[in-house]
Amino acid sequence: NAGVTQTPKFRILKIGQSMTLQCTQDMNHNYMYWYRQDPGMGLKLIYYSVGAGITDKGEVPNGYNVSRSTTEDFPLRLELAAPSQTSVYFCASSPGRGNSPLHFGNGTRLTVT
Amino acid sequence: AQTVTQSQPEMSVQEAETVTLSCTYDTSESDYYLFWYKQPPSRQMILVIRQEAYKQQNATENRFSVNFQKAAKSFSLKISDSQLGDAAMYFCAYRPTQGGSEKLVFGKGTKLTVNP
């Protein structure tokens, strides 16, 4: 069982470039999330989705876009990359609300120079 | 907005000893869920333990237990018989049952070092 799979693991972007971080889960979870982790700052929510076709902004959505065309996939798009977007990005999924835990991917380390 | 505070950026413990990591949170809700996640150097986020606020009994998972003090809005994690593999970042997280119940709010984390 693969769980939550993120690609790529590492990426270096130049300022102004764009890219898509891929996330797929095989657990049939309705809820999916994108978090970013900056050193000493914990995890901050970028976007989340409660089902195919439904997305909503989290705490730090500026500079990012998402889509959710299928239950399995939840890609995160960075447009016009900036140094402030240098971070580790985590995708996660959850079967529901309440005490349902989040299942995380292994993260993508992104550097923008 | 709900906030989660972990006041100890770093902690250390001797192997086989016990350590307690602190977490406090701010909420006006009476029902919610609390979690502790572990992030080893591999970067993978792993659920350690969870607690429902309506349950008075503290959750326990093997060597991991919590001290949940609802009135004080405190949710500390106790690790007994610490092992080298417990070395990691530990994150406390909060999830409401009402508005925003889809989301987890995380603290900034505590880095735990286990000394042999």
Side-chain angles (χ1 to χ4, degrees):
Chain A
N1 213 354
V4 178
T5 303
Q6 288 184 239
T7 56
K9 288 186 171 56
F10 304 93
R11 183 71 186 267
I12 298 175
L13 280 182
K14 293 189 183 304
I15 295 171
Q17 287 186 321
S18 301
M19 77 163 294
T20 299
L21 306 184
Q22 301 292 344
C23 176
T24 187
Q25 52 95 5
D26 62 359
M27 298 174 282
N28 201 32
H29 287 171
N30 283 326
Y31 294 75
M32 295 190 75
Y33 308 83
W34 276 105
Y35 283 90
R36 60 176 286 172
Q37 182 180 23
D38 301 317
M41 296 301 293
L43 281 78
K44 293 190 181 295
L45 183 64
I46 305 171
Y47 271 94
Y48 67 98
S49 169
V50 300
I54 306 169
T55 63
D56 208 347
K57 296 178 180 178
E59 187 181 358
V60 289
N62 291 343
Y64 307 95
N65 278 300
V66 294
S67 59
R68 184 94 183 270
S69 57
T70 66
T71 298
E72 295 78 17
D73 299 308
F74 190 43
L76 177 71
R77 178 81 177 163
L78 280 73
E79 305 281 2
L80 299 174
S84 60
Q85 293 178 304
T86 294
S87 189
V88 178
Y89 291 83
F90 285 96
C91 180
S93 71
S94 175
R97 305 180 184 209
N99 69 349
S100 299
L102 268 59
H103 300 256
F104 284 85
N106 286 333
T108 296
R109 181 177 294 278
L110 176 68
T111 302
V112 182
T113 62
Chain B
Q2 297 97 353
T3 57
V4 177
T5 302
Q6 293 180 249
S7 59
Q8 306 151 317
E10 295 188 26
M11 291 282 286
S12 64
V13 63
Q14 291 297 125
E15 197 175 3
E17 298 289 304
T18 295
V19 64
T20 299
L21 308 184
S22 301
C23 172
T24 59
Y25 53 93
D26 181 27
T27 184
S28 59
E29 298 200 15
S30 60
D31 201 13
Y32 44 86
Y33 302 90
L34 297 163
F35 304 81
W36 277 99
Y37 278 86
K38 170 185 177 181
Q39 185 182 41
S42 67
R43 214 164 64 190
Q44 177 74 46
M45 293 283 286
I46 303 164
L47 177 69
V48 175
I49 200 166
R50 53 186 155 175
Q51 173 85 39
E52 293 86 353
Y54 62 83
K55 290 186 177 178
Q56 292 189 337
Q57 187 172 4
N58 289 323
T60 299
E61 290 285 345
N62 300 314
R63 297 182 295 106
F64 298 87
S65 61
V66 298
N67 184 4
F68 174 48
Q69 301 288 331
K70 190 172 184 179
K73 298 180 183 176
S74 171
F75 183 60
S76 59
L77 175 69
K78 186 172 84 170
I79 306 173
S80 303
D81 185 26
S82 297
Q83 300 174 1
L84 294 177
D86 295 333
M89 285 290 292
Y90 286 83
F91 293 95
C92 179
Y94 165 94
R95 183 186 232 165
T97 56
Q98 299 299 321
S101 61
E102 310 88 358
K103 300 170 280 189
L104 260 66
V105 177
F106 287 86
K108 293 183 178 181
T110 296
K111 181 179 180 180
L112 178 65
T113 301
V114 181
N115 300 310

